[in-house]
Amino acid sequence: MAITPTQFLARLRNELDDVPDSDYTDSALWTDAELYQYITQAQQLLIEHVGYLRDRITLHAKADRQYTTLPDEVIDVEELWLRTAQRTLNIRNYNEMTGFMVDDYGLRLAGQWRGSTGTPDNAVLDLETGRVYLIPTPVADEEIDAVVLKTSGTVDSTTQCFELKRETHVLALLPKCKELAYSKHDADSYDPQLALKYKAESLVEFDRVYDSLERVRKSNRAGSGTTRYGGIPW
């Protein structure tokens, strides 16, 4: 069974030699909230280092509403599939949708694209607001399967599992967490030499995770189809 955030926190405390008393007095150098913040930051940095998480999600579009909203952790959209019409939506950037335009496929879109209604065949991404505008505006509720790129979410005491799927990849976060912990500007915890030591170790661990994922990705590309994080084929 994969290590949980709670178990990881306990291991991190042990390796930092910061296990509090049984009654959890002020003997701890770092609070749980601080350590979870370091864990969250470390996971985000590792995910950025190895490539963003690719995932499949379902978007729900309402009838007569021009747009649907992306989850906060989505930073880009690669593919949109309209279930009712069983077709892929053409994805366009919001900034492209001014005036009259002809694309490589001969598709013409005018500046008044927001006023049309029907079965959507185009989607306009406005990533700054997290909106996906559908063209034409749907006249019935729609479900859209989306392939998206995500950043990692917050890790805290309520988080059931890491977004990193392999335990070896989760444990690769330990040096970065220690670097951040020893970088805390506090008389009792600040240790720049240890912070530099664990920074160097974290770079080695991050590169190791990247190399292992690249081997999986290359293997899958040589086989069949696209892969998601951890080498799981779509």
Side-chain angles (χ1 to χ4, degrees):
M1 185 176 179
I3 188 171
T4 66
T6 302
Q7 292 169 333
F8 185 92
L9 178 74
R11 177 161 179 170
L12 176 60
R13 276 204 182 280
N14 186 63
E15 295 197 12
L16 289 170
D17 195 21
D18 189 45
V19 180
D21 297 335
S22 58
D23 59 355
Y24 213 93
T25 63
D26 293 334
S27 60
L29 294 176
W30 298 276
T31 66
D32 282 358
E34 287 175 322
L35 293 181
Y36 277 125
Q37 181 180 351
Y38 302 151
I39 295 168
T40 295
Q41 188 175 347
Q43 180 174 240
Q44 289 173 340
L45 290 170
L46 178 55
I47 286 173
E48 291 175 5
H49 188 79
V50 303
Y52 291 105
L53 290 170
R54 181 178 284 108
D55 200 3
R56 283 190 182 274
I57 63 174
T58 300
L59 301 176
H60 303 278
K62 297 295 185 181
D64 301 320
R65 186 178 183 184
Q66 294 176 337
Y67 64 87
T68 184
T69 304
L70 295 167
D72 290 340
E73 66 270 18
V74 172
I75 60 166
D76 203 359
V77 178
E78 292 189 335
E79 181 181 331
L80 294 170
W81 174 262
L82 190 65
R83 289 186 184 179
T84 53
Q86 290 290 291
R87 67 181 178 217
T88 299
L89 298 178
N90 298 304
I91 299 177
R92 303 197 167 274
N93 185 280
Y94 185 82
N95 295 327
E96 297 175 339
M97 300 303 296
T98 56
F100 189 81
M101 179 180 65
V102 180
D103 71 358
D104 294 338
Y105 301 96
L107 178 67
R108 288 173 168 77
L109 294 168
Q112 299 302 316
W113 50 270
R114 295 198 209 211
S116 59
T117 59
T119 301
D121 49 22
N122 293 276
V124 179
L125 299 183
D126 186 359
L127 295 174
E128 289 187 6
T129 63
R131 291 179 176 180
V132 179
Y133 290 90
L134 300 173
I135 310 171
T137 299
V139 293
D141 291 353
E142 300 278 3
E143 287 192 334
I144 303 168
D145 294 324
V147 179
V148 300
L149 299 179
K150 300 167 56 180
T151 58
S152 60
T154 301
V155 180
D156 57 29
S157 59
T158 65
T159 307
Q160 298 298 312
C161 61
F162 285 94
E163 294 191 64
L164 299 167
K165 304 305 180 185
R166 302 181 186 179
E167 184 165 319
T168 54
H169 296 171
V170 174
L171 294 178
L173 302 177
L174 282 168
K176 176 58 69 175
C177 292
K178 295 177 191 176
E179 175 200 340
L180 295 171
Y182 287 119
S183 298
K184 177 185 176 182
H185 289 286
D186 177 86
D188 295 323
S189 58
Y190 182 61
D191 192 324
Q193 289 186 329
L194 281 177
L196 285 174
K197 172 180 181 291
Y198 288 118
K199 180 178 182 179
E201 288 187 13
S202 71
L203 290 173
V204 172
E205 287 298 305
F206 280 24
D207 284 342
R208 180 183 61 78
V209 173
Y210 178 85
D211 290 341
S212 71
L213 288 176
E214 274 299 290
R215 287 193 295 271
V216 173
R217 289 165 179 160
K218 288 178 180 178
S219 174
N220 280 283
R221 283 197 292 267
S224 58
T226 308
T227 60
R228 64 187 291 180
Y229 170 82
I232 302 172
W234 288 105

